Amino acid sequence: MVALYADGSPGSFPPVAESPPADRARPLSDAAFVTLWRGDTIGRYEVVSLLGCGAVGPTYRARDRELGRNVVIKEFLPWTLALRRDGVNVVAQPPSLAGHLDWIRARFVEEGVKLREMPPAPFVVRAVDMFEANGTACVAFDLVSGASLDKRVKTGGVLRPATVERLLNALIEALGHLHGEGLLHGDIRPANIMLDLIGRPTLIDFGNARAAMASRLPEHQALMALGYTAPELIRGEPASTATDVYALAATIHYAITGRAPPDAAERLQGDRYEPLAALAPAGHARELLSGIDRALSLQPGDRPQTIRILRALLRPKAPASKVAATRPIFTNLWKAAAAATLIIVPSKSVGPPAASQPPKSPPASMKTGVDAKQRADQPAREH
């Protein structure tokens, strides 16, 4: 397995030692307390490897010891707000941030519970477990094989018009199911869309907890993905279905042009967005380009408010479930490149948070898992 990091930059998350210290009781840096070691147990799972460490916490490949299957576990441990005491239990650091940590953790748990209870949906990664271990919350997902849309465009160039339509139809169908269940994705971007060998996408790595963190602690807005974050989140306003619509449009903009739209923070200062309808990239329907431009409007009320309205605006030709599986959408060269199993995990680097008055802590309603004793080895980056 090769683990890829969404921004591709070295050192974008806290450094992680490659093996357990000889004396685990001796003082280490805060960063050394972030991740578990390979062979540690977390709930009923055994850590196999570290896939990455993002703003909300580390992500592991793990083995379900009861069912004998591999999963991906996302552990809530935002390294700007917490560390792992004695290499095991997660605590706020500094302690004055405990109220913020508890509030954001409650958003993480709320999202995880909804995902676990949601019926299987096409083109959306499945959450298989929600549990507590080591004083924090964890969500287990199916392990998704393939390569990210981000990797696909960087290695193979922009997508052909027919490929863009199939991808867009599939993502519209995925978001239609999520929004119908009362869920937002919260972090749609090319790094969070996995493509299998015939190009069928899967949405991974929900980001509502990260958005909640940035909303509650404005100094954490650097956690948001440049180019794909809607302006209302930059302003500290709540997310809505129109927020996902913006991120989806920005992602399709990337698939068409090979670059993200200008960052929303910059656009709010002086909008220099070049409409796709004016650029008129060859082969793409004008209705689709104009629809993407409208979905990238700075004001949420100027965008399509629902996925159904967006679908009608873009005039897709056929349901994604029928079109996406009809034929391979990438070249044989891409198939060969995608044959290796890749996992895309986002990572961000931010400065230290500022303390403020803690809110009420959420009720604890999950069982405590098994303590960890060793840490997971950090996988080598792909070059």
Side-chain angles (χ1 to χ4, degrees):
M1 165 168 294
V2 178
L4 298 177
Y5 299 90
D7 60 7
S9 60
S12 57
F13 55 88
V16 182
E18 295 184 355
S19 59
D23 180 2
R24 297 192 74 149
R26 73 179 167 86
L28 299 172
S29 68
D30 288 354
F33 284 90
V34 171
T35 62
L36 298 172
W37 297 105
R38 182 175 62 192
D40 279 357
T41 55
I42 180 168
R44 71 174 194 244
Y45 305 93
E46 180 178 337
V47 175
V48 175
S49 63
L50 173 69
L51 297 176
C53 192
V56 174
T59 304
Y60 310 98
R61 178 173 179 164
R63 183 75 172 168
D64 186 332
R65 295 178 297 166
E66 292 183 8
L67 301 180
R69 63 180 177 184
N70 288 324
V71 298
V72 170
I73 292 180
K74 191 171 184 179
E75 182 184 33
F76 181 74
L77 200 173
W79 58 272
T80 58
L81 303 179
L83 54 77
R84 197 184 300 281
R85 183 180 58 197
D86 300 326
V88 178
N89 293 307
V90 174
V91 295
Q93 179 62 30
S96 60
L97 293 175
H100 292 304
L101 187 70
D102 288 344
W103 186 86
I104 298 165
R105 176 180 175 273
R107 309 287 81 74
F108 179 88
V109 170
E110 180 182 7
E111 177 183 74
V113 169
K114 287 182 178 179
L115 288 172
R116 183 190 60 187
E117 295 176 349
M118 184 181 73
F123 313 114
V124 179
V125 68
R126 185 174 63 120
V128 296
D129 198 7
M130 177 80 217
F131 61 99
E132 185 173 287
N134 304 335
T136 194
C138 305
V139 186
F141 296 93
D142 282 336
L143 183 65
V144 179
S145 298
S148 73
L149 174 61
D150 185 47
K151 182 70 172 179
R152 161 65 179 93
V153 171
K154 285 179 178 177
T155 58
V158 299
L159 305 189
R160 294 172 296 178
T163 301
V164 169
E165 280 200 22
R166 285 192 290 271
L167 175 66
L168 179 57
N169 290 339
L171 296 178
I172 284 176
E173 186 168 337
L175 287 178
H177 282 274
L178 286 176
H179 293 175
E181 293 291 328
L183 278 163
L184 301 177
H185 184 278
D187 195 16
I188 302 169
R189 53 193 169 109
N192 287 341
I193 297 170
M194 298 291 287
L195 303 173
D196 67 12
L197 289 178
I198 63 170
R200 284 179 300 222
T202 300
L203 271 173
I204 64 169
D205 205 22
F206 291 73
N208 291 298
R210 181 170 65 175
M213 187 187 307
S215 174
R216 190 173 187 83
L217 301 169
E219 65 272 21
H220 284 65
Q221 285 184 358
L223 299 172
M224 311 308 291
L226 295 178
Y228 303 99
T229 299
E232 56 268 28
L233 297 183
I234 302 296
R235 294 190 292 254
E237 299 169 4
S240 67
T241 54
T243 307
D244 272 353
V245 166
Y246 185 98
L248 173 61
T251 298
I252 298 303
H253 183 286
Y254 175 81
I256 293 173
T257 67
R259 62 183 185 276
D263 183 53
E266 297 177 2
R267 295 185 65 193
L268 289 171
Q269 298 299 318
D271 195 2
R272 297 182 179 180
Y273 173 71
E274 298 181 78
L276 288 177
L279 294 175
H284 295 280
R286 182 172 181 81
E287 292 84 2
L288 184 145
L289 299 177
S290 298
I292 295 300
D293 290 336
R294 182 175 168 186
L296 286 171
S297 298
L298 289 175
Q299 298 302 323
D302 294 336
R303 298 176 217 142
Q305 297 298 294
T306 67
I307 287 297
R308 177 177 293 182
I309 295 174
L310 179 64
R311 182 195 292 272
L313 183 67
L314 299 177
R315 300 180 183 177
K317 296 180 179 179
S321 57
K322 295 181 180 179
V323 175
T326 56
R327 59 189 175 94
I329 67 173
F330 300 130
T331 64
N332 290 332
L333 178 61
W334 167 241
K335 288 183 182 180
T341 300
L342 305 172
I343 298 297
I344 311 298
V345 181
S347 59
K348 292 285 178 184
S349 178
V350 300
S356 58
Q357 292 298 320
K360 291 196 294 185
S361 301
S365 59
M366 297 181 294
K367 296 182 180 179
T368 301
V370 182
D371 287 346
K373 297 180 180 177
Q374 297 178 319
R375 297 181 178 227
D377 289 337
Q378 180 182 353
R381 294 176 182 272
E382 183 179 73
H383 296 285

